[in-house]
Amino acid sequence: MLQQSIAQNVLSKSEAISEMLQNNFGIQLAQNELEIASNNKSILNSGYLPTVVGTASAQYDNASDRRSFPGSLDEDGNPRPDVVIEDAETQRYNAGINVNYVLFDGLGRYYDYKQLKEQYNLTELQVRETIENTMLQLFSVYYEVARQTENVVVLEQALRVSKERVTRAQYQFEYGQNSKLEVLQAEVDVVTDSVNVLNAKQQLANAKRDLNVVLNRDLNASFKVDTLVSFTNKLQLEGYVANSKENNVTLLQSESQMKVSDYAIKSAKSLLLPTIGLTGSYGWNRINSPASAFFPGSISQGENLTLGANLTWNLFDGGGSIVGLKNAKILYDSQELQRKQFELEVNRDIANAKGTYENLLEIYNIQEQNVVTNKNNLERSQERLKLGQISSIEFRQAQINLINAETSKNLAKYDAKLAELELLRLTGQLLNTDF
């Protein structure tokens, strides 16, 4: 039951990646940008759909009117009386719908739409770059937890050896086989090793909190990590390097940006061509008029339907369109120069990363052999210490040598793995790696 609980508490590499993709703030922000780009490339933002505008209005008037007729006589020869109209109500109602559709705009919206689609592809690449960088950050911290975990084991083993040495030295002192100095020296080494273990455990706790930040979870969440490290086959890495131009995210973004700039040039050219559109409208109106001094009240109601076509050609806009086109072409040229610069820099970075990885891997292999040598040396030193052939100082030096060899091997192992991950990122294969 205890073994099952421990196994469940191990944070595997795949689980760490899954939590990172789901919880990391930087990745969530990048995904939001991708969603915005997806909305922008939809048909609703393309300009291909017509615009439909509905209008309606109602108006109510209430007025009083007194109309006089000075000098005017009625049929009986008397002065004509004033006509007074109180609370004369007028009601007006209007409703209409207007439709406009652009048949041709010089292909401007066509290239704008393609530009938005390519902008979405560019944003996808930017999200991928964010994920790759965050994954490198994740594993730099994950492997730091693994390294500190192994260092704690090494230092605890050294502490056990030192405690055993104290016990042995105490027995030998009691039987008169050595001096009190040997006991005191062994006790000093126990104190030193105890402090080293405490410091290593604190560094391990700090590294775990760093990992929890990357995964966006409780800072004090307790877990263990997988300390097993495997390296990618050399021939496979050579294949990745050979195909890096087609897979490196920086170069792919540069290619995508050039496509965006090319569509911007073509869209700018459309401003020099005419625009042809269709219009249509339907309207309904009703007017309820009150009686006046001369006319009885009336109701007026009507409908109208209008269809039309229009052609608009901006023959000269002061030169703005021409300047915009020129600037778009310059921007494209700049993008091409930048792409060449990126290609040169990426090739350099890959060459450096490959050399660094191979060097660190060789160092790791040397450190592994060094650990074997120092283990054998410590075992022989223990036997010679028991026989009194070496001093406790000489034994302690052999113990320190082994501690340094094992911690150096741990550092070399994870440094080599991180160098490999950087090489995989530069070749565009980091997200295709099975951890």
Side-chain angles (χ1 to χ4, degrees):
M1 192 70 173
L2 179 60
Q3 291 179 347
Q4 182 180 4
S5 175
I6 294 176
Q8 290 175 347
N9 198 31
V10 174
L11 178 65
S12 68
K13 300 179 184 74
S14 59
E15 289 172 340
I17 293 173
S18 178
E19 288 193 32
M20 177 201 73
L21 293 174
Q22 183 176 357
N23 300 328
N24 183 266
F25 287 124
I27 292 178
Q28 290 180 28
L29 291 172
Q31 292 289 357
N32 286 344
E33 293 295 325
L34 183 62
E35 188 173 352
I36 291 173
S38 178
N39 292 335
N40 288 339
K41 76 179 182 70
S42 70
I43 191 66
L44 296 176
N45 195 43
S46 66
Y48 277 104
L49 300 179
T51 60
V52 181
V53 179
T55 60
S57 67
Q59 183 177 341
Y60 172 81
D61 292 331
N62 188 310
S64 297
D65 183 41
R66 174 183 293 274
R67 192 167 294 251
S68 301
F69 306 93
S72 178
L73 303 176
D74 60 14
E75 295 177 354
D76 298 330
N78 297 319
R80 185 174 177 179
D82 294 346
V83 177
V84 178
I85 301 175
E86 297 287 347
D87 297 326
E89 296 181 351
T90 302
Q91 299 164 3
R92 296 182 177 87
Y93 305 96
N94 294 281
I97 187 168
N98 299 289
V99 180
N100 291 278
Y101 184 70
V102 177
L103 285 177
F104 178 75
D105 66 345
L107 296 178
R109 63 183 172 182
Y110 172 76
Y111 289 115
D112 286 343
Y113 190 39
K114 292 180 75 69
Q115 187 175 355
L116 290 172
K117 286 186 174 182
E118 190 58 42
Q119 190 67 47
Y120 173 81
N121 296 335
L122 177 59
T123 307
E124 273 192 320
L125 292 171
Q126 291 169 346
V127 171
R128 173 185 153 185
E129 183 179 34
T130 299
I131 293 175
E132 287 180 348
N133 292 335
T134 306
M135 189 173 291
L136 276 182
Q137 180 189 9
L138 166 70
F139 278 106
S140 67
V141 182
Y142 186 95
Y143 285 137
E144 177 63 14
V145 174
R147 186 178 75 87
Q148 294 295 345
T149 299
E150 292 190 322
N151 284 352
V152 168
V153 173
V154 169
L155 294 172
E156 286 180 338
Q157 176 63 31
L159 178 60
R160 283 194 293 271
V161 172
S162 295
K163 287 181 177 179
E164 291 172 1
R165 198 176 118 222
V166 169
T167 302
R168 188 183 307 110
Q170 185 67 42
Y171 283 146
Q172 290 176 338
F173 173 71
E174 291 174 357
Y175 288 100
Q177 296 179 355
N178 62 20
S179 65
K180 184 65 175 177
L181 181 62
E182 295 290 335
V183 177
L184 295 175
Q185 184 62 53
E187 290 176 346
V188 168
D189 292 339
V190 167
V191 172
T192 300
D193 291 341
S194 298
V195 171
N196 290 339
V197 169
L198 289 174
N199 288 334
K201 287 183 176 180
Q202 182 60 51
Q203 291 170 356
L204 175 59
N206 293 345
K208 285 185 176 181
R209 278 189 283 270
D210 290 340
L211 184 55
N212 285 333
V213 169
V214 176
L215 299 179
N216 186 21
R217 61 181 189 168
D218 182 13
L219 290 179
N220 296 316
S222 179
F223 59 90
K224 295 182 179 180
V225 297
D226 181 9
T227 58
L228 180 64
V229 169
S230 59
F231 295 96
T232 306
N233 180 273
K234 185 176 180 180
L235 290 177
Q236 193 173 8
L237 274 179
E238 292 290 345
Y240 291 160
V241 171
N243 297 319
S244 60
K245 186 176 180 180
E246 290 77 22
N247 298 307
N248 178 271
V249 70
T250 301
L251 297 181
L252 291 175
Q253 284 184 76
S254 181
E255 292 287 347
S256 179
Q257 189 62 61
M258 287 188 65
K259 291 180 180 178
V260 171
S261 297
D262 182 53
Y263 292 140
I265 292 174
K266 294 175 179 177
S267 178
K269 289 180 179 179
S270 69
L271 298 176
L272 305 177
L273 298 176
T275 299
I276 301 173
L278 297 177
T279 61
S281 65
Y282 169 79
W284 171 87
N285 62 79
R286 175 188 174 101
I287 301 175
N288 297 337
S289 301
S292 67
F294 303 102
F295 302 100
S298 64
I299 297 177
S300 173
Q301 182 171 312
E303 298 179 6
N304 67 285
L305 176 65
T306 304
L307 298 175
N310 57 68
L311 183 147
T312 303
W313 197 339
N314 194 351
L315 297 176
F316 185 69
D317 63 354
S321 299
I322 297 175
V323 172
L325 179 57
K326 288 181 178 180
N327 289 341
K329 289 180 178 179
I330 294 173
L331 180 59
Y332 180 84
D333 292 339
S334 297
Q335 292 291 343
E336 189 170 13
L337 291 172
Q338 195 171 51
R339 181 190 62 80
K340 292 179 180 179
Q341 179 185 2
F342 285 155
E343 186 173 346
L344 184 62
E345 291 175 349
V346 166
N347 289 337
R348 176 206 61 192
D349 293 342
I350 289 176
N352 290 346
K354 185 173 181 291
T356 300
Y357 167 65
E358 291 173 348
N359 183 62
L360 289 173
L361 191 60
E362 183 64 25
I363 291 174
Y364 170 57
N365 292 331
I366 293 173
Q367 292 290 2
E368 275 192 315
Q369 184 58 46
N370 190 37
V371 168
V372 174
T373 301
N374 279 278
K375 279 185 177 179
N376 293 334
N377 183 50
L378 182 64
E379 290 173 359
R380 295 176 64 182
S381 297
Q382 283 179 314
E383 294 299 323
R384 295 182 66 188
L385 181 66
K386 292 177 183 178
L387 297 174
Q389 296 177 348
I390 62 172
S391 67
S392 59
I393 295 177
E394 291 174 308
F395 174 79
R396 178 60 177 175
Q397 186 59 52
Q399 189 181 20
I400 292 175
N401 289 342
L402 178 59
I403 293 172
N404 292 337
E406 289 183 322
T407 54
S408 296
K409 183 206 73 172
N410 293 340
L411 179 61
K413 177 173 70 171
Y414 295 114
D415 279 350
K417 186 58 182 179
L418 289 174
E420 180 194 86
L421 295 183
E422 173 63 11
L423 180 58
L424 290 172
R425 183 190 72 83
L426 289 169
T427 57
Q429 299 296 333
L430 181 60
L431 301 185
N432 300 326
T433 301
D434 185 8
F435 291 95

